[in-house]
Amino acid sequence: MPRASTQNARPALRRLPTRASRIVQDVVSWVLPLLFRSQGLEISSSDASEALARAFAAQQSGACNLLIAFRHPSTRDPLVLADLFWNRVPRAAQQHHLQLARPIQLRFLYDRGIPIWAGPVIGWLLQRSGGIAIHRGRLDRPALAQARAALVQGRYPLVVAPEGATNNLSGEMAPLEPGVAQLAFWAAEDLEKAGDARQLEVLPVGIQYSWRKHNWGALDARLNALERHLGIPTAAAYQGNPETTRRERLIQIGMNLLKALEQLERLKPDPEKSFSERIGAYRLHGLAKAEAHFGLRAVGNLQERCRRIEQAAWDRIYRDGVDQLPPLERSLADWEAREADLQLTRMRLVEHFTSVSGHYISDRSDFDRFAEMLLLVEEAIGWIEDKPWKGQPSLGPQRVELRLGRALPVRPRLNGYLRNRRESMQLFMQDLEQALIEVMPDTAL
């Protein structure tokens, strides 16, 4: 496992206020097309742009408040969505003679940890683009209150990722977190109490990445590099059609990677278990060790458990009054911070492997799925070896397609929510999940 990157306890994380700036937004919206052009990223959003232009026009006229829930397969999503909202939607409004009363501005929730790993410049940009920083592993009342107030006030649409984090797969969705439903019902309650007749709608946005050219030669070369690195047989040892051979090779690479992780965790491999079952056992074991270290209960789904571990680690790394501790206590705090960082790394590996499975490429063996799984494996090796894996040759430029799903009105559900909150939350999340599935590539028509 990588050594602890944190060597000392640090002062407590301060709250990052929202400091939206039109100047920063204008500069970012100008730079984004140049950035995408340099990366070769092609964006397709014509239908979504027009539909969102109509929704924003209705929102700005006071007809409704908007909560936008987007699929989150990639760390590029915020940039792609910023280009959609700030560049493409205004152009679509102009083309279809829709009146926008003012430039589009947004409020969006983002993980407070992003500025830690992405750097202070990214944190500065997030604040000035309308971001509301939230601690995902605990009940962050100030952030939730700010998001709730923004949604009720309605001047700015609120944007959230119901999956909570990226899973790096365009064709498979992670379990949704209930926060989006809770925010929607809270806002509907507040509107009702205030006698405000505006509708409240949740708009699902689908995001699908794919490669513009299916460069199987580059993919095979990177499979060869992984096989050499792991010391396993290369393509010559396999027989059959290329599709089956690639799937077998990628699963074999994943199996060798899993063996290394099982050895690290002192897990005895069970030859009777399938690849997916062994990955599942590794995940549960890794989470249980981290939870035992922090004294946490193993409750909730995998994502919820990861968030609590993350927060427990942060509580030991970022501490109030750490600079005022006497020397011995400060040394113990540093020791505890290093141990917490190692457990955080263990959790990150487990979280990364939530997306690694054999079925993703077995269910549908196309280039995009092979490439996404290949990148996941390369990134996992980089995590274990504590250095980025430089995959060569390039798989080529990508495209991203944005789709807008059917709107989910919230206020008609309010009476049911007031009678039975738990059931109404579950039903709403089921409907939102289905709406997001409908705009995913395997199901969209």
Side-chain angles (χ1 to χ4, degrees):
M1 181 171 292
R3 63 181 175 80
S5 58
T6 297
Q7 299 299 313
N8 304 101
R10 303 171 186 177
L13 292 172
R14 62 182 180 86
R15 179 160 296 280
L16 298 179
T18 303
R19 293 174 173 160
S21 165
R22 279 293 313 282
I23 295 176
V24 171
Q25 177 175 319
D26 289 344
V27 171
V28 171
S29 62
W30 181 81
V31 168
L32 284 174
L34 302 177
L35 174 65
F36 296 147
R37 195 175 302 123
S38 70
Q39 296 175 339
L41 182 65
E42 179 184 281
I43 300 178
S44 173
S45 66
S46 57
D47 292 342
S49 297
E50 180 185 350
L52 280 168
R54 297 185 186 280
F56 283 131
Q59 173 259 329
Q60 291 188 359
S61 71
C64 64
N65 295 7
L66 297 179
L67 195 164
I68 298 171
F70 67 96
R71 273 237 53 218
H72 200 8
S74 170
T75 54
R76 299 168 99 177
D77 299 340
L79 296 177
V80 169
L81 288 173
D83 181 66
L84 172 67
F85 295 138
W86 295 342
N87 291 326
R88 296 172 183 272
V89 169
R91 285 202 299 268
Q94 188 175 27
Q95 290 169 2
H96 294 87
H97 309 290
L98 299 169
Q99 295 298 319
L100 293 177
R102 55 186 178 273
I104 293 172
Q105 291 183 280
L106 306 160
R107 294 294 179 264
F108 58 92
L109 289 172
Y110 70 94
D111 176 22
R112 176 60 181 86
I114 290 177
I116 295 174
W117 58 262
V121 173
I122 298 300
W124 185 89
L125 285 172
L126 289 169
Q127 287 178 268
R128 282 152 184 82
S129 297
I132 301 171
I134 186 168
H135 288 262
R136 295 185 299 174
R138 68 180 187 217
L139 184 61
D140 191 339
R141 295 183 186 277
L144 290 172
Q146 185 182 353
R148 178 177 180 173
L151 189 53
V152 172
Q153 195 270 343
R155 180 175 177 82
Y156 309 110
L158 179 67
V159 183
V160 297
E163 292 166 277
T166 60
N167 74 342
N168 301 295
L169 303 177
S170 287
E172 187 169 282
M173 190 163 59
L176 304 187
E177 298 181 353
V180 60
Q182 187 61 80
L183 276 171
F185 280 121
W186 278 342
E189 271 191 295
D190 293 347
L191 290 170
E192 189 73 17
K193 290 176 182 177
D196 191 325
R198 285 176 297 174
Q199 295 300 313
L200 173 59
E201 294 185 340
V202 177
L203 300 181
V205 175
I207 304 178
Q208 176 200 358
Y209 294 88
S210 60
W211 274 263
R212 293 165 62 178
K213 180 181 177 182
H214 293 176
N215 190 343
W216 289 104
L219 190 144
D220 288 338
R222 287 170 73 152
L223 285 175
N224 289 336
L226 285 171
E227 288 165 340
R228 288 194 299 271
H229 189 77
L230 296 174
I232 59 179
T234 58
Y238 296 89
Q239 296 180 350
N241 66 61
E243 179 182 302
T244 303
T245 297
R246 291 188 185 100
R247 183 166 61 247
E248 291 175 351
R249 293 172 67 192
L250 193 51
I251 290 176
Q252 188 62 37
I253 288 168
M255 188 67 77
N256 275 264
L257 183 56
L258 180 58
K259 286 179 182 177
L261 292 171
E262 288 172 335
Q263 183 179 2
L264 176 70
E265 296 290 357
R266 303 294 189 268
L267 275 173
K268 186 177 180 180
D270 185 347
E272 299 299 319
K273 287 186 177 180
S274 67
F275 179 56
S276 295
E277 289 172 332
R278 286 174 62 181
I279 287 179
Y282 161 73
R283 291 172 186 154
L284 294 177
H285 177 84
L287 287 181
K289 286 189 72 171
E291 287 165 339
H293 178 86
F294 294 120
L296 300 173
R297 294 174 56 208
V299 295
N301 61 32
L302 189 143
Q303 283 80 4
E304 291 168 339
R305 294 170 69 182
C306 285
R307 296 289 74 75
R308 283 195 297 273
I309 292 169
E310 179 182 65
Q311 189 60 53
W314 284 3
D315 289 343
R316 287 157 177 77
I317 295 171
Y318 302 95
R319 308 168 69 126
D320 286 319
V322 67
D323 292 333
Q324 283 74 49
L325 292 175
L328 180 59
E329 290 187 36
R330 176 59 194 254
S331 295
L332 292 174
D334 292 341
W335 188 310
E336 194 172 46
R338 288 192 290 273
E339 289 187 330
D341 191 58
L342 283 171
Q343 297 301 325
L344 189 59
T345 302
R346 170 178 276 115
M347 184 276 290
R348 296 284 188 225
L349 268 175
V350 169
E351 188 176 39
H352 188 80
F353 266 78
T354 60
S355 302
V356 175
S357 67
H359 78 82
Y360 190 66
I361 53 176
S362 296
D363 294 347
R364 180 176 165 184
S365 300
D366 59 23
F367 180 87
D368 295 318
R369 290 199 171 204
F370 268 112
E372 286 180 334
M373 195 56 60
L374 174 72
L375 294 176
L376 278 171
V377 171
E378 289 177 344
E379 187 176 344
I381 291 175
W383 267 95
I384 295 170
E385 297 183 351
D386 201 24
K387 59 183 178 181
W389 177 272
K390 296 181 180 179
Q392 294 293 336
S394 170
L395 298 177
Q398 287 187 291
R399 71 167 59 89
V400 57
E401 185 172 354
L402 297 148
R403 299 185 180 99
L404 185 67
R406 54 186 172 86
L408 300 178
V410 181
R411 296 192 69 166
R413 303 169 182 259
L414 185 57
N415 288 335
Y417 173 75
L418 295 175
R419 288 193 302 269
N420 189 326
R421 296 180 180 239
R422 182 186 295 274
E423 182 182 34
S424 294
M425 290 267 292
Q426 290 175 343
L427 289 173
F428 184 86
M429 292 308 296
Q430 289 172 7
D431 288 347
L432 177 58
E433 181 179 38
Q434 182 58 38
L436 285 167
I437 289 173
E438 289 170 3
V439 293
M440 287 173 63
D442 290 348
T443 57
L445 299 178

